[in-house]
Amino acid sequence: MRGLRATLVMIACAACGHEDERPAEPETAMTLSFAARVGDTPFSCSEVIRGVGTTAATVEPLDFRLYVHDVRLITASGREVPFRLADDGKWQSGGVALLDFEDRTGTCVNGTAETNTALRGTAPPGSYTGLKLKIGVPFALNHADAATAPSPLNLSGLFWGWNGGHKFVRIDARVVGSSGGELAETSAFNIHLGSVHCRGGANAVTSCDRPDIGEVVLRDFDPAVTQMLVDYQALVAATDLTHDLGGAPGCMSDADDADCPNLLARLGVNPSSGQPDASQQALFRVE
């Protein structure tokens, strides 16, 4: 009888264990939509941008592209759930996506005619109230050979070189002035975010003192329904675009360039350490 009882208990426990090991619920396909803005105005490569920065400058847009990764959805309880980017052979690969708001019209001459304004992937079914993501390319993918990398990591215009890796953000503009009622070119103001002070050579970069990966946190909205905005005016709000403070024209992620600290902070990067810091992030927002 004892042996029979033990056998029955073991069978019962085994059955209980199988009840707990239920298969995970299939993930749901989801699209997260974004739009480029200049304040309340839709961004356009064919429109002059007026009234931006601390001196209400007028600029012509030249480029507006950025890489993102590590996308997470936020539940009402604050739990972060991975949003798994789907490889599509063009805009998304290896967990990295390129948001491309320029269309090679007007004054935008650096990019491509096609645009990409959405992230496509899957997540567990559920109700979500916010979004987190990182601006940039993960270290493991950042310093690979761009010539052989899968799209979208194969764009030469978004690659600094072996040591520096990719330009995580390329938002270029030309500041213009007035001459006889006509707009006249005066100076460039380019914003390029990327890792700096990296050590190592081709395919052998070991570390970067400043990774300059940005962090974005957006709360109190449904990311599956609400369009997220990427706002050039908010990015440059604390910057005088008409007066470069030294170094490269604009900011090339050099913390010693006086034009960079405000811009890095608004890109979700701690200006002092180069680490992700969403506390002053302003490029992404929700209406």
Side-chain angles (χ1 to χ4, degrees):
M1 290 294 292
R2 286 182 185 170
L4 178 59
R5 274 197 210 100
T7 300
L8 291 173
V9 170
M10 289 175 65
I11 292 172
C13 288
C16 290
H18 285 303
E19 284 181 8
D20 291 338
E21 294 171 8
R22 296 169 186 165
E25 210 172 341
E27 293 197 343
T28 302
M30 190 182 300
T31 299
L32 308 178
S33 298
F34 298 80
R37 292 285 182 88
V38 182
D40 296 327
T41 304
F43 170 83
S44 170
C45 286
S46 301
E47 297 291 333
V48 171
I49 299 172
R50 302 180 188 277
V52 290
T54 58
T55 56
T58 297
V59 304
E60 294 173 334
L62 302 178
D63 209 331
F64 201 150
R65 293 178 284 175
L66 61 151
Y67 288 110
V68 300
H69 70 282
D70 191 15
V71 184
R72 292 145 285 160
L73 303 175
I74 306 172
T75 68
S77 65
R79 186 167 62 93
E80 297 178 17
V81 176
F83 178 81
R84 305 183 197 283
L85 293 167
D87 288 0
D88 63 10
K90 185 160 190 175
W91 300 110
Q92 302 183 172
S93 177
V96 178
L98 177 67
L99 292 173
D100 185 343
F101 301 111
E102 58 73 38
D103 59 6
R104 205 174 171 81
T105 63
T107 51
C108 295
V109 297
N110 296 320
T112 60
E114 295 179 273
T115 63
N116 182 52
T117 61
L119 303 179
R120 300 165 188 85
T122 60
S127 177
Y128 299 105
T129 61
L131 173 76
K132 287 188 177 183
L133 60 80
K134 286 189 169 69
I135 300 174
V137 177
F139 182 85
L141 298 175
N142 190 31
H143 303 280
D145 186 351
T148 59
S151 183
L153 295 173
N154 60 350
L155 298 172
S156 59
L158 295 176
F159 195 67
W160 264 328
W162 293 109
N163 196 259
H166 291 80
K167 298 175 184 177
F168 304 155
V169 171
R170 182 168 184 174
I171 303 178
D172 295 348
R174 189 163 50 212
V175 184
V176 295
S178 179
S179 176
E182 299 292 329
L183 291 175
E185 178 183 341
T186 57
S187 61
F189 199 97
N190 303 325
I191 302 170
H192 296 178
L193 180 69
S195 298
V196 293
H197 306 309
C198 300
R199 288 175 289 278
N203 281 325
V205 175
T206 57
S207 63
C208 299
D209 290 342
R210 293 183 57 89
D212 284 344
I213 296 285
E215 178 85 61
V216 175
V217 180
L218 301 174
R219 299 185 185 276
D220 301 323
F221 75 105
D222 184 347
V225 175
T226 305
Q227 188 176 57
M228 281 71 74
L229 305 180
V230 187
D231 188 350
Y232 176 76
Q233 179 169 287
L235 174 62
V236 300
T239 301
D240 181 358
L241 301 178
T242 66
H243 180 62
D244 191 272
L245 299 176
C251 172
M252 303 293 175
S253 287
D254 186 350
D256 294 330
D257 184 336
D259 291 299
C260 284
N262 279 329
L263 293 168
L264 290 172
R266 289 167 183 266
L267 288 166
V269 177
N270 184 296
S272 299
S273 67
Q275 296 296 321
D277 180 356
S279 62
Q280 298 182 64
Q281 190 282 133
L283 176 63
F284 284 78
R285 64 180 178 86
V286 179
E287 282 184 323

